[in-house]
Amino acid sequence: MNLSKKLSYIGTIICDNTAKNIELVLDKTSKIKFIGDSYVTKLTNSDSQNSNIDFNGHKLYVNRVAVN
């Protein structure tokens, strides 16, 4: 999933942790808001502080490790 150029997404990503390979790529202008725990195999974020991610009380797991 690639978000760039001020795109935004509200939802979950593979909430049941069944994907073999899914990468989340964000540029500094894009935002994502989670409505449930989400699982990706790789996170590439131009914002090193992840301030463009609204965890909304949920966890984001990258390769099975929570980043928040």
Side-chain angles (χ1 to χ4, degrees), residues 25-29 44-50 52:
V25 180
L26 298 165
D27 74 358
K28 288 183 179 182
T29 68
T44 303
N45 191 351
S46 295
D47 181 344
S48 62
Q49 300 297 312
N50 291 331
N52 55 350

Side-chain angles (χ1 to χ4, degrees), residues 8-63:
S8 62
Y9 173 79
I10 298 173
T12 60
I13 303 172
I14 313 301
C15 62
D16 60 359
N17 196 20
T18 58
K20 301 242 187 256
N21 187 21
I22 186 163
E23 181 176 0
L24 175 59
V25 180
L26 298 165
D27 74 358
K28 288 183 179 182
T29 68
S30 297
K31 299 186 183 288
I32 190 165
K33 180 177 183 175
F34 292 113
I35 60 171
D37 290 346
S38 295
Y39 299 82
V40 297
T41 52
K42 185 176 180 184
L43 172 64
T44 303
N45 191 351
S46 295
D47 181 344
S48 62
Q49 300 297 312
N50 291 331
S51 62
N52 55 350
I53 300 174
D54 181 351
F55 296 101
N56 195 29
H58 301 285
K59 296 286 185 190
L60 171 62
Y61 295 92
V62 179
N63 214 14

